[in-house]
Amino acid sequence: MADATPERTEGPRFAPGHESQGKPAALIAWGLYILSLPSANLLVIVGLIVAYAGRSGSDGLSRAHIDAQIGLFWSVFWWTILLWVGFWACVVGVFTAPALGVALVPLAVLLLLALLFLTVWFTIKSIIGLINLLGDRAP
């Protein structure tokens, strides 16, 4: 007497699908990241949501791009917070300690330039990511 258990063929399949299954989500997320500059960074949030939503159904190259998009967002997010806190600390320092204010103005300008550089770097990195995805290369 053999103990035979019938295989279940019905129900949801939890294994990731084909490698190109997550590619549309990755393409949309890169596009929204690129368009975040003219949209005052509102579309980058939508791009992050698309990346998180497409993460579960992606595999291989698409998953690498989506993981890179999520990592790029969070690294830029925390650097932006840090730079803005530093800038506003300089502004407060200028008005609360006028003797020190002369030294803090160049630092505040430097922090604003760093924010501009970060924004340009984010956009260029997103364009390169999109080009790499279209060419079936890693991010």
Side-chain angles (χ1 to χ4, degrees), residues 8-122:
R8 285 185 85 185
T9 57
E10 55 193 57
R13 195 182 87 182
F14 293 108
H18 189 264
E19 183 174 323
S20 65
Q21 190 172 349
K23 193 169 185 176
L27 285 169
I28 292 169
W30 280 131
L32 290 170
Y33 277 18
I34 293 166
L35 292 174
S36 69
L37 189 60
S39 74
N41 291 331
L42 294 176
L43 290 179
V44 75
I45 302 297
V46 178
L48 180 68
I49 292 168
V50 168
Y52 272 118
R55 190 180 205 183
S56 63
S58 63
D59 195 16
L61 186 65
S62 299
R63 177 64 182 252
H65 276 272
I66 289 174
D67 288 342
Q69 291 162 353
I70 293 169
L72 177 65
F73 172 84
W74 286 113
S75 65
V76 170
F77 174 80
W78 290 115
W79 275 107
T80 302
I81 296 295
L82 181 71
L83 290 170
W84 275 116
V85 167
F87 171 76
W88 285 110
C90 288
V91 169
V92 168
V94 165
F95 290 112
T96 58
L100 228 115
V102 176
L104 292 176
V105 169
L107 180 59
V109 170
L110 183 67
L111 291 171
L112 285 176
L113 287 174
L115 278 165
L116 176 66
F117 171 78
L118 187 64
T119 303
V120 170
W121 177 78
F122 178 81

Side-chain angles (χ1 to χ4, degrees), residues 19 26 30 60-72 124-139:
E19 183 174 323
W30 280 131
L61 186 65
S62 299
R63 177 64 182 252
H65 276 272
I66 289 174
D67 288 342
Q69 291 162 353
I70 293 169
L72 177 65
I124 291 172
K125 182 86 169 136
S126 299
I127 291 170
I128 291 170
L130 179 63
I131 290 169
N132 285 340
L133 181 61
L134 291 173
D136 290 328
R137 292 183 301 268

